[in-house]
Amino acid sequence: MKKLLISLVSLAALATFAGCGEQPQTITAKPGTSAAKPDDLPYGEGKLYADRNAWQLQLRARADTQNEYKRFN
Amino acid sequence: MARMKFICDAERCIECNGCVTACKNEHDVPWGVNRRRVVTLNDGIVGAERSISVACMHCSDAPCQAVCPVNCFYKTEDGVVLHDKDLCIGCGYCFYACPFGAPQFPQAGAFGLRGKMDKCTFCAGGPEKDGSKAEIEKYGRNRLSEGKLPACAEMCSTKALLAGDGDVLSDIYRERVMRRGRGGDLWGHATAYGRPDTKATAPAVQSIPQKS
Amino acid sequence: MKHLIACLSALLLACAVNAQQSSGPALPKDELIKQQQQRVVTQPYNNAPFWKEARGAVEGYASIPAPEAGVLIQDGGQNWRALRNGTFSIIGGWALVAMMLLIGGFYAWKGTIQLHEAPTGRLIERFTLLERMAHWATAISFSVLAISGLILAFGKALLIPVISFTLFSWLAIIAKNLHNFLGPLFIISCIVTFCVFLRDNWPKAVDFKWLVSFGGLINGKHVPSEKFNAGEKLWFWGGLMLLGIVVGASGLVLNFPNFGQTRATMQLANLVHLTGAVMFMLGAMGHIYMGTLGMAGALDAMKTGVVDEAWAKEHHELWYDDVKSGKVPANRSENGGNAGAGTQQPVAVGGNN
Amino acid sequence: MLVRKSHDVDGTRLSEHTSMRRFGGAKPSNTLDRRSFLKRSGIGIGAGAFASQLPLGFVGKAEAAAPAEGGGKPEVKRTVCSHCSVGCAIDAIVENGVWTRQEPVFDSPINLGAHCAKGAAIREHGHGEHRLKYPMKLVNGKYVRISWEQALNEVGDKLIDLRKTAGPDSVFWVGSSKHNNEQSYMFRKFVSMFGSNNCDHQARICHSTTVAGVANTWGYGAMTNSYNDMQNTKCALYIGSNAAEAHPVSMLHMLHAKETGAKLIVIDPRFTRTAAKADEYVRIRSGSDIAFLFGMLHHIFKNGWEDKKYINDRVYGMDKVKEEVLAKWTPDNVEAACGVPEARMAEIAKMFATNRPSTLVWCMGQTQHTIGNAMVRASCIVQLALGNVGVSGGGANIFRGHDNVQGATDVGPNPDSLPGYYGIATGAWKHWSTVWGVDYEWLKKQFASQTMMEKPGMTVSRWIDGVLDPNDTIDQDSNLKAIVFWGHAPNSQTRGLEMKTAMEKVDMMVIIDPYPTASSAMPDRKDGVYLLPACTQFETSGSVTASNRSLQWRERVISPLFESQTDHAIMYAFAKKFGFDKEFVKNCKIVRPDGEKKWEEPEPEDMLREINAGSWTIGYTGQSPERLKLHMKNMNTFDPKTLRANGGPCNGDYFGLPWPCYGTPELKHPGSPNLYDTSKHVMDGGGNFRANFGVERDGVSLLAEDGSHSKGSDLTTGYPEFDHVLMKKLGWWDELTDAEKKKAEGKNWKTDLSGGIQRVVMKNHGCHPFGNAKARAVVWNFPDAIPQHREPLYGTNAELAKKYPTHADKGGAFWRVKTLYKSVQDKNIADKVYEKFPLVLTSGRLVEYEGGGEETRSNPWLAELQQENFIEINTRDANDRGVRNNEYVWVKSATGAQIKVKALVTERVGPGTTFIPFHFSGWWQGKDNLQKYPDGAAPIVRGEAVNTATTYGYDSVTMMQETKTTVCQVTRFDAA
């Protein structure tokens, strides 16, 4: 009986202990990098937009085309 | 830092499926793979019917990414969740995990043969060189690198579906919501406590004589 | 004892809370629809009840005839993710580690259990070729499934840091396909094995005695057993049959997505599969240990099909008696399984130990 | 998601679309259908399937079957969507002659880059995998490939033979609303030179009742305002329009208006996607629109909400209408007829009458009835009573169907009119022979006789009867012996059973279309069917008129695919065969845009110039190709709310020069954004109601009252239309140049080819060339001068049918065939048809498909979204019949037809009503006719055509078919 108790307790302890070891589930991939290959950035050398700023400005302007209030008034 | 987002305005979406075919067109998506779809809830119920266009929502804490056994997902610096088809093993876990039904498979074969997972890329392609043949064939067009936004949102018939930098989108949506409140019967007291003078019941549908 | 209960209940509660976190709305769909209809009148453009409803994984209309195309948001995925990546993987993983440690400890404590008497050199046929083939088919497919399954479940954490993405992806693809194609084979082997060994695994009263003393392991007293002792029978019924059904059926659900099963079904099947598989592996580890390192002579029986009389007498005394008394033929292969037909003496086959 | 098909389908259809061009999936070989592929890849699994799972870079790349990429410099071609009348602009990107991409045109003031499913999938036209690829001929029940020469010779010889033996009227020519303006115009000219008025097109079964009813009310039969102008409305009432599915992009403007405070009311038997966006939705009984509209008018008059000054100044006969409405359409009568109780009616009437300007929108829900002409007039009357016509934000916004149905109606193949609504009287023929540069006498000789030349032809809705009816009931010499479908799908017409018989009876069927259409697979014929591949609007250039009357110029995107030819090239080739090619293209330069690869053809620009030269009535004269092209290039300069260009090269113009754009292009009339708008100068697009019905009626003046005139007019009261006599009387004649005087002498504003009269009247005097009159609430030349509600021929309510009986039968002089009304209705009541068929059957559009649907159902991107035809049936009716959702059912109709469709059990329709979309074809009463299509040219999705089951019934003015109210019974599929 004692042995059983000891084994049960140790099992429970182990399980509880295991719970503490839970890993964060969000993967924080480094910005702009693939898990495997480096992601090709949408701006830069040889691209339509030379730098991140120019590219983002363009996207912002483009996003505004979805706002018909800007044109309908 | 910009965060790319989709918003679908339920007050505007008319289930025209323009977003769905815009996507098929832009990326030559084959039959059976629906990167985007439109769902209508409470179909036919007066006062409660709403349609919503849904695709990958590019979650901040993406469940697909969390459960992928080979870690083929990655996030661009603009918050677009992409995946590497070369790594994908077609296990289907992302499909189980995704709340929006975004992951699609070209097959649903026996023995779990699904082919490589395919999903909305926010028109940002994949890890291959932007606009390259390889990228187009595996992931479709890369509109972001061309300074354009996802085709679905750009072509939305009623501008219900918006895509782009979250800040800009919230500005657009805010303006829209403010205008909707014109007349003062929406914001302030009425919103908080309801309009006192309105009928408190849902719009009724009268019966129609059909037979003699 | 109190503490133990507290610990266990805390654990269960944690699981339950975890599962509850992202569950659907409290109100039924009809109620939300009514609320939305009223909201349209009192507060136009306020869609809160609609969104509450959408959150509840209700099925709407979508013209594409794909299963679940009309479900805007399914919330099972979050639960599944939390359970699979969290509770199940962690408990399962640690349980496997613990089992290994346990077995290691046991081995260190007991070592290989040797025969107490010297082998007689007289051999009894314990397993026919069919029985052995069935067993090995099951065993091999099981091992491949276990290893490939473990690669898919834990490789991301354990192997990617070591062998990196591309190589691991290759490995995972091989593992996935092996798993998917061998799975059905394993189920078939299980069924064959079950049929072949069923007759010798009927539970008897003696098995209870054996079980109570844990095969004499705990108190050291010898308990006689039939051809299969209660431990083996337990493995037969609880492992091969019960876990076989659980793991096999849930595996089939996952392996054949071409029948249009919903995601909820597959999430549940996956969790059942995980649980069953871990338990299966735990049991198998014990079984393999006893069949190899744990007990001398056991592996030979499965390799060659025959055992020494001394081994039979020591481990399966009742069976030995039956063979001796002629109730069970000593060589079933040649007699075509004509049980109790003759009084032939066992014939020596093969080498001795 | 995981499984893409819900049901078994034939293999060929799927194999073409699951080829997994990309995405690294294992690609089934061409000979495997999907199911066997799945089986094989699953069970007979081998190394191949396994290898496809490996993360190899080349997996997927090896599959490349995509259109050629790169190489050439991408060119951008601006075109216009060909799927509905909104007129959404599209930028097509072409590389090496291949249409590789499609971009939204944010600059377009009409759609601002927006598209519905059809517009967003338009690039598929560049693939055209399911197109008719070469001329074909039916030989022993099987289509075989033939050469173009053979086709032209055999078809041409047969037509020449028929023309000789049975007369030119023995051929029925169905033109198309998918043709651009130039092609439609040339088609009418072509048929005229063939010597016949037996030509028609989709507008007959689309908005013919609107065109007739509205034109007879106030002048022009067109949408009065524009989609964009709906942003200015305070309240919009959609009755019989499901814009969200039929004109999705129009909702961009409407929902914007709604957000900024406009009320949206939807009246429909179905709770449609449009209704889902409405502030108020009212369900009415199908076909009871007049009861509803006049019920509303009753409240308007009772409460004095009508615009009394407006009625006095600008409306004729409203007093009579008021009298009738107050007496007849009392709330209890209204509720009995349309099902709307008094309180609800008062609420809607108040909302619509007090939120002005309010606009009224209608579509096929009103037009396709035996009383369609009356329904549309009832709508006009409501708008006139409220003074909403000729007002920005108001108007009768009539959304048209096809991309160019407006243009084809204006200048295309109408059996009762030459281009520009000139009619077919002697004067009209003389006017157009002058424009065409041909001798009137020569033209007359082409016809059987001058009588036939001036007798309206048959209509596309009735050609069946032209074939099947006994010869003595037909108002022409011979029955129809041949039918030419030139861009028309037969499944959009009613009475499928009889149509099949007619198709089998004619000597020859010719189908000239990019797709083989249902015509190719419908009849059980062994021979005598020719399929000639025409190209789409993306393989040619030309102008297209949107519903708001704006013209847009389409650039040619790609060369004609396969062996297809442009429609005008085919017309020219046939003209050569018939020997009138010189006359046919007298004013046009002949060009070969594809060199030797394709035929020579008249240049679209020149054809448009010819339209400009002759269509003075409706102001199709100012839209020169140069001006239109300038508009297309400078879309960004137009304001999307007013449609007016502010600065830039088009400064002051309205987008697309919405007709009427009077005068010569040099006059620079800006087009008319809203018709009859007196708040603007005529040279700014203003106007007033047209004086087209004389100056007085029974001693009451029909001209506008004093003080009612367009802004800046020299004449401040009503005046008749201008001709040389009036010009001289007013002393304005001398303002014409000498050259103009020469041409204008003896002419009026419509026939003066110099445009001098229009110039002087408008520019110098601010007057409207068509006069200034009152709109007519009472149209005395129609069967019901005041719109009367009449029950449909096939109804479910006998009591109401007795109270509101239909018209008396009509003899053969009416569009050349006999038309039945009362006898059919009486027989149905006597036979108690409503007991056997207790459900109302109505039909309509789906957003994914258009028209007969061959084109859209052949487009995999669209076809995937609607894979089967269905019937919407209320839960209660379904339960009564033991029918479950998504099961097949039989729909049986009073014609004896039964069609097999899936049940969609829904609350969209009320109890007693059912709905079936009309775009499907290819099945015939439960059987898939796949094998009857030419190889490889069957549409991906086929289904049962609702019109196989629809019944008899035609409008009493225009022969519009009754599709919206008929009867049916639904039974379980196994209960067949």
Side-chain angles (χ1 to χ4, degrees), chain D residues 408-690:
Chain D
T409 307
D410 297 334
V411 296
N414 297 304
D416 60 339
S417 181
L418 286 169
Y421 307 103
Y422 278 85
I424 46 173
T426 321
W429 284 112
K430 285 193 168 150
H431 170 76
W432 279 106
S433 31
T434 315
V435 176
W436 296 339
V438 300
D439 181 22
Y440 168 74
E441 292 303 322
W442 171 83
L443 197 57
K444 199 164 83 183
K445 275 199 208 95
Q446 296 293 97
F447 282 82
S449 65
Q450 188 171 359
T451 322
M452 293 312 285
M453 189 182 190
E454 289 168 15
K455 183 186 287 179
M458 289 185 192
T459 65
V460 66
S461 50
R462 299 303 303 275
W463 73 268
I464 321 169
D465 300 297
V467 177
L468 298 177
D469 275 3
N471 189 259
D472 55 358
T473 65
I474 289 181
D475 196 19
Q476 66 178 39
D477 286 344
S478 159
N479 279 64
L480 296 178
K481 301 273 185 205
I483 172 126
V484 183
F485 283 113
W486 205 317
H488 181 94
N491 52 316
S492 54
Q493 290 159 248
T494 54
R495 292 165 65 204
L497 293 185
E498 282 149 288
M499 190 190 300
K500 183 167 178 285
T501 317
M503 282 178 165
E504 286 158 7
K505 199 179 169 196
V506 290
D507 292 2
M508 178 174 68
M509 278 175 75
V510 185
I511 294 134
I512 307 173
D513 204 288
Y515 294 85
T517 78
S519 318
S520 70
M522 226 169 114
D524 285 312
R525 288 182 70 115
K526 291 273 168 230
D527 52 18
V529 183
Y530 290 87
L531 309 177
L532 310 182
C535 60
T536 65
Q537 291 302 321
F538 305 103
E539 294 148 77
T540 183
S541 58
S543 67
V544 51
T545 308
S547 190
N548 71 324
R549 298 165 279 108
S550 283
L551 276 70
Q552 295 184 78
W553 186 265
R554 285 193 183 115
E555 284 185 279
R556 200 171 85 125
V557 178
I558 45 174
S559 310
L561 293 174
F562 316 113
E563 285 188 17
S564 68
Q565 306 283 359
T566 61
D567 292 292
H568 45 290
I570 301 171
M571 279 178 229
Y572 184 43
F574 272 113
K576 279 185 204 161
K577 177 85 194 160
F578 298 148
F580 53 72
D581 53 315
K582 295 266 170 345
E583 290 82 0
F584 185 57
V585 294
K586 194 145 205 174
N587 301 320
C588 301
K589 201 167 92 196
I590 300 300
V591 292
R592 293 190 89 115
D594 286 289
E596 292 305 309
K597 271 191 279 178
K598 298 281 168 187
W599 291 345
E600 52 181 13
E601 60 179 45
E603 196 179 47
E605 281 85 348
D606 276 350
M607 298 191 275
L608 178 56
R609 285 186 195 105
E610 195 178 288
I611 297 175
N612 292 156
S615 312
W616 301 93
T617 41
I618 47 170
Y620 255 73
T621 48
Q623 300 100 334
S624 65
E626 292 73 25
R627 285 182 89 186
L628 293 184
K629 286 177 186 173
L630 199 65
H631 279 215
M632 294 307 278
K633 269 206 198 92
N634 295 285
M635 281 180 169
N636 59 315
T637 60
F638 292 89
D639 182 278
K641 196 163 186 176
T642 61
L643 282 179
R644 195 159 211 190
N646 185 13
C650 314
N651 189 23
D653 282 359
Y654 294 98
F655 181 68
L657 303 166
W659 71 257
C661 174
Y662 295 112
T664 56
E666 294 71 41
L667 184 65
K668 293 252 174 258
H669 188 274
S672 310
N674 302 325
L675 296 174
Y676 327 116
D677 185 355
T678 53
S679 71
K680 288 194 188 101
H681 192 279
V682 283
M683 283 306 290
D684 273 335
N688 45 50
F689 293 130
R690 180 177 180 181

Side-chain angles (χ1 to χ4, degrees), chain D residues 585-845:
Chain D
V585 294
K586 194 145 205 174
N587 301 320
C588 301
K589 201 167 92 196
I590 300 300
V591 292
R592 293 190 89 115
D594 286 289
E596 292 305 309
K597 271 191 279 178
K598 298 281 168 187
W599 291 345
E600 52 181 13
E601 60 179 45
E603 196 179 47
E605 281 85 348
D606 276 350
M607 298 191 275
L608 178 56
R609 285 186 195 105
E610 195 178 288
I611 297 175
N612 292 156
S615 312
W616 301 93
T617 41
I618 47 170
Y620 255 73
T621 48
Q623 300 100 334
S624 65
E626 292 73 25
R627 285 182 89 186
L628 293 184
K629 286 177 186 173
L630 199 65
H631 279 215
M632 294 307 278
K633 269 206 198 92
N634 295 285
M635 281 180 169
N636 59 315
T637 60
F638 292 89
D639 182 278
K641 196 163 186 176
T642 61
L643 282 179
R644 195 159 211 190
N646 185 13
C650 314
N651 189 23
D653 282 359
Y654 294 98
F655 181 68
L657 303 166
W659 71 257
C661 174
Y662 295 112
T664 56
E666 294 71 41
L667 184 65
K668 293 252 174 258
H669 188 274
S672 310
N674 302 325
L675 296 174
Y676 327 116
D677 185 355
T678 53
S679 71
K680 288 194 188 101
H681 192 279
V682 283
M683 283 306 290
D684 273 335
N688 45 50
F689 293 130
R690 180 177 180 181
N692 200 27
F693 318 103
V695 293
E696 57 123 37
R697 171 87 182 165
D698 302 334
V700 181
S701 168
L702 288 173
L703 299 179
E705 297 295 318
D706 288 353
S708 169
H709 55 86
S710 57
K711 190 177 161 190
S713 166
D714 281 1
L715 303 176
T716 57
T717 183
Y719 49 89
E721 57 182 342
F722 284 88
D723 59 5
H724 66 118
V725 181
L726 184 61
M727 294 290 286
K728 285 169 189 160
K729 261 192 209 160
L730 289 168
W732 298 353
W733 181 253
D734 286 334
E735 293 169 44
L736 273 76
T737 64
D738 288 342
E740 283 171 344
K741 274 184 193 165
K742 227 160 108 194
K743 282 189 175 172
E745 186 57 52
K747 297 284 168 75
N748 62 22
W749 68 284
K750 295 184 281 198
T751 50
D752 163 25
L753 295 183
S754 72
I757 296 180
Q758 293 197 357
R759 179 181 65 81
V760 170
V761 166
M762 297 175 77
K763 197 162 185 192
N764 297 3
H765 301 284
C767 291
H768 206 297
F770 69 28
N772 176 17
K774 283 179 175 169
R776 296 193 297 174
V778 173
V779 177
W780 58 80
N781 47 332
F782 271 23
D784 293 323
I786 294 170
Q788 298 296 320
H789 172 66
R790 294 173 188 276
E791 283 290 304
L793 305 189
Y794 291 81
T796 53
N797 194 324
E799 208 174 285
L800 283 175
K802 278 172 200 149
K803 192 169 175 193
Y804 304 106
T806 187
H807 298 282
D809 294 354
K810 286 182 181 232
F814 179 56
W815 302 97
R816 300 193 187 181
V817 284
K818 203 169 90 185
T819 311
L820 305 176
Y821 295 92
K822 196 80 175 66
S823 56
V824 177
Q825 194 180 50
D826 287 348
K827 186 170 183 299
N828 287 339
I829 294 170
D831 292 351
K832 297 201 169 161
V833 164
Y834 50 84
E835 281 180 1
K836 263 180 276 171
F837 304 98
L839 298 171
V840 170
L841 171 64
T842 186
S843 63
R845 275 199 184 193

